[in-house]
Amino acid sequence: MAAGPLFISYSSVDGREVALRLADALEAGPPSYPVWLDQRALRPGQDWDEQIADALRTCRGLLFVMSHDSVKPESVCKQEWGRALKYRKPVIPLRLDPDAEMPFRLGSRQYIEFSDFDLGLARLRQHLAWTITPEGVLAELEVRLADATRKLPRMVEERRGMVESEIQDLRQRIGRQRLSINNPDVEQAKERQRIFAAITDDQRQPVAKQHELNTTETGSHSVDLREFGLANEIGATAINLGAELVAGSIVLDSAICGYAGLNLDDVIVQDSGSVVDSRSLPSFILADMRSSAAPVPNRRKAHLMDWHAPVIDQGDILTLDLAHSDYWLSEATKRSVPRIQHGVLDGQIDLMHMPRRLDVHLVVLSGQDNMLFLTRRGRHVATEPSTWMITVGESIDWDQDKKGEGLPHPGRTARRCLSERDELNLPESIADAVELRLVAIATEWSEMLVNLITIAILPDIDANGVKAFFRRGENVKLDAIPFNSESCLDLLRSHSFSGSNGSGPAAPVSDISRIALYAALKSMHPDLVKGS
């Protein structure tokens, strides 16, 4: 299970008293488990639906109190546990009434009998402790596999690829988890061997030769992306940079879970204070900033200080260490890019640990007809004017993207980007329902900013529906192509796009957009794009 509170789902008709008692008992301990209960957690004056959605996105798991009323098809509980499944959260049924029937979609789960509260509470505590053991992690992976397998036959053809990719990833993770349980000493030895091999290879790595610079590299294998016109343009290998690969002007810091990705809403954000106070930013950037006038407006932004990769035994959660900055520092960094590049190539600056402004880059797909959206940026914008983008992006705003009174979160940034008037202008109801899957982290060498590359699937709308909401702003045109092998590989191989009908004026497609598309294809169609 991930970190976060336990969401208690119950019917106010016949489950309120038990829900309140359960919340008190779990928080009292020992051990104490934080809970989210609507009656106590909902804040007046703020949208209740949005607060409940946020709670489900960030919870450790959902406790479903099964009573006569809560198992009815029209119960609000069905919406809550249904959304929890969508967010890949563990759902633990607690059977309060002996004749309450388990909902069909929860059929792969074993309920905990709660007709005797004290006995049920003891069993629940025992179960919660077990979920963080290697065996508990394995069991949850197996439940998720059963859910995905049950869901696959009912998926429309356009969505089957993503579910099949999820099933393949879960089977691999289950296999690794079983090996770890059955042969812990062997697996630990293998891990130590992999770490030692990576260190040794890095120490042996010679100065890059020209043919090496044209091949994107990882620690264990290489793939040539020149077929897509994305030969290394940076002058350093991925291994020397500590990255996954280099393609064109983009440094792929890492693919997330081998491009299978994870739910962006599950990402944990930690506060690292102020970038200016961190002492980890090159001093010449601060000197440039202080020698210039602060821009107006000067909104606070988020910089990525560090990130921590998902670990299966810890719930497969990715953590971002963010520090607050502002637009003033972003502009100073942009002016300092040549000097930063020189420092990285000379080995004076560690790119992977240099604070960089954090953006969310969305590859947007329509769920009903599986179309991929492209936007053409206007000539009047400061960044990459008159280019095609796949699809939209936005920097994390420290204040606008806060979750309640807490820290900014990339899930908030993604939904704001989808709904902002000068981006896609989608209604908040559509933006809130979007499925967000973080598949890669990538740095733009020419801008020195880092992107969370995320697939955004709009589940209940087609391409024409999305286009109907679009208005000209930062982007002056919205177009769409089928998200299939022929269309997407053609786009990857091309440096430009002239519209879905091919009759418009050709305009460049940015490198970050092509890498984002590459990552999305690797995630949803892993057999389509080979390598890396």
Side-chain angles (χ1 to χ4, degrees):
M1 275 192 177
L6 292 162
F7 186 107
I8 300 179
S9 176
Y10 67 98
S11 168
S12 59
V13 174
D14 55 2
R16 186 192 305 273
E17 183 179 341
V18 169
L20 289 168
R21 187 179 175 187
L22 178 62
D24 290 339
L26 287 174
E27 290 189 324
S32 176
Y33 292 101
V35 302
W36 193 97
L37 187 67
D38 59 356
Q39 198 166 333
R40 296 174 177 174
L42 288 175
R43 297 180 295 274
Q46 298 184 32
D47 186 280
W48 283 16
D49 288 341
E50 184 177 331
Q51 291 181 64
I52 291 171
D54 278 346
L56 287 165
R57 278 193 288 266
T58 57
C59 70
R60 172 181 178 176
L62 181 141
L63 304 179
F64 173 39
V65 179
M66 293 174 57
S67 62
H68 287 297
D69 191 74
S70 70
V71 297
K72 291 179 179 179
E74 65 272 16
S75 171
V76 70
C77 294
K78 183 177 181 180
Q79 299 176 33
E80 292 173 345
W81 59 252
R83 183 165 289 196
L85 292 181
K86 169 187 168 184
Y87 295 146
R88 297 174 176 82
K89 300 294 185 179
V91 175
I92 304 173
L94 311 177
R95 194 172 74 165
L96 179 62
D97 293 320
D99 55 350
E101 292 188 9
M102 182 83 77
F104 173 76
R105 287 179 62 197
L106 299 180
S108 56
R109 290 158 178 79
Q110 177 63 48
Y111 61 78
I112 296 175
E113 185 62 58
F114 246 79
S115 53
D116 182 318
F117 183 88
D118 291 334
L119 186 56
L121 178 64
R123 289 170 177 160
L124 175 59
R125 285 190 175 281
Q126 185 179 30
H127 178 77
L128 292 173
W130 175 76
T131 58
I132 62 175
T133 67
E135 291 78 11
V137 171
L138 174 62
E140 179 58 29
L141 289 172
E142 289 174 335
V143 167
R144 285 176 55 188
L145 177 61
D147 285 345
T149 304
R150 183 186 294 113
K151 181 169 60 174
L152 183 61
R154 300 194 298 272
M155 298 299 295
V156 296
E157 188 63 32
E158 293 80 5
R159 301 284 300 281
R160 289 178 65 89
M162 188 171 189
V163 179
E164 288 170 346
S165 175
E166 180 184 0
I167 289 173
Q168 181 181 2
D169 175 60
L170 285 168
R171 285 173 175 163
Q172 292 174 351
R173 291 163 62 186
I174 287 170
R176 292 195 298 268
Q177 189 70 4
R178 284 174 177 162
L179 283 174
S180 177
I181 292 170
N182 296 331
N183 302 285
D185 294 337
V186 173
E187 287 303 300
Q188 289 174 13
K190 285 182 179 178
E191 182 64 20
R192 288 194 296 269
Q193 187 176 16
R194 282 192 291 267
I195 294 171
F196 176 77
I199 294 172
T200 305
D201 286 346
D202 190 55
Q203 291 172 340
R204 288 201 304 256
Q205 176 67 22
V207 176
K209 299 178 182 178
Q210 188 58 44
H211 74 275
E212 291 174 317
L213 299 181
N214 286 331
T215 303
T216 59
E217 299 189 30
T218 67
S220 58
H221 52 271
S222 301
V223 56
D224 196 333
L225 287 179
R226 285 175 293 181
E227 176 191 353
F228 301 132
L230 287 168
N232 186 326
E233 298 174 3
I234 288 175
T237 64
I239 288 178
N240 285 343
L241 294 173
E244 184 106 357
L245 62 83
V246 178
S249 62
I250 305 301
V251 178
L252 193 77
D253 299 39
S254 181
I256 304 302
C257 300
Y259 295 103
L262 49 79
N263 190 335
L264 182 68
D265 292 312
D266 285 344
V267 167
I268 292 176
V269 174
Q270 297 183 157
D271 191 353
S272 293
S274 167
V275 177
V276 174
D277 297 337
S278 68
R279 299 183 180 179
S280 55
L281 197 71
S283 59
F284 57 81
I285 300 178
L286 294 176
D288 182 288
M289 182 187 77
R290 289 164 177 157
S291 67
S292 64
V296 179
N298 184 29
R299 298 198 63 86
R300 293 204 300 171
K301 300 293 182 180
H303 267 56
L304 180 66
M305 306 298 289
D306 199 0
W307 64 278
H308 311 281
V311 177
I312 292 177
D313 287 350
Q314 297 175 7
D316 242 5
I317 298 298
L318 182 140
T319 303
L320 303 175
D321 294 340
L322 301 187
H324 62 81
S325 59
D326 54 23
Y327 189 65
W328 192 10
L329 182 60
S330 296
E331 289 298 289
T333 302
K334 188 181 296 185
R335 291 190 294 269
S336 304
V337 163
R339 191 168 177 181
I340 298 170
Q341 292 173 341
H342 184 76
V344 171
L345 295 177
D346 278 356
Q348 303 301 311
I349 297 174
D350 182 352
L351 179 64
M352 295 294 104
H353 293 93
M354 187 192 85
R356 291 154 287 164
R357 195 188 82 194
L358 184 59
D359 286 17
V360 177
H361 187 111
L362 299 178
V363 178
V364 182
L365 306 174
S366 54
Q368 286 191 353
D369 53 1
N370 201 39
M371 297 291 281
L372 168 72
F373 293 97
L374 298 92
T375 55
R376 183 167 177 176
R377 296 179 61 76
R379 289 180 292 179
H380 59 291
V381 298
T383 305
E384 297 185 325
S386 301
T387 61
W388 285 99
M389 187 172 178
I390 308 170
T391 303
V392 288
E394 188 64 83
S395 59
I396 295 181
D397 189 292
W398 195 267
D399 299 305
Q400 276 188 293
D401 299 329
K402 280 185 177 179
K403 299 186 69 170
E405 301 300 319
L407 296 170
H409 194 278
R412 283 293 186 95
T413 309
R415 290 175 172 85
R416 176 170 61 85
C417 181
L418 292 170
S419 60
E420 279 192 339
R421 184 183 68 251
D422 61 352
E423 296 290 353
L424 291 188
N425 194 44
L426 295 174
E428 289 188 4
S429 59
I430 294 177
D432 183 61
V434 68
E435 299 174 19
L436 299 169
R437 193 149 193 85
L438 172 63
V439 294
I441 300 176
T443 298
E444 296 179 63
W445 180 252
S446 60
E447 300 284 335
M448 285 300 161
L449 60 85
V450 62
N451 296 265
L452 301 178
I453 296 177
T454 303
I455 302 170
I457 301 178
L458 306 171
D460 300 317
I461 194 169
D462 62 12
N464 288 333
V466 174
K467 290 178 180 179
F469 291 111
F470 178 75
R471 299 292 182 270
R472 291 166 64 98
E474 284 192 20
N475 308 307
V476 296
K477 188 171 183 179
L478 177 68
D479 208 337
I481 63 172
F483 188 64
N484 59 30
S485 59
E486 182 178 0
S487 298
C488 292
L489 291 179
D490 283 348
L491 186 58
L492 269 178
R493 295 186 183 102
S494 175
H495 290 277
S496 62
F497 181 66
S498 55
S500 54
N501 58 12
S503 61
V509 180
S510 64
D511 278 4
I512 186 62
S513 290
R514 294 166 70 202
I515 288 301
L517 176 57
Y518 174 82
L521 284 171
K522 290 284 290 181
S523 178
M524 297 184 68
H525 300 288
D527 296 330
L528 185 62
V529 184
K530 301 297 183 183
S532 182

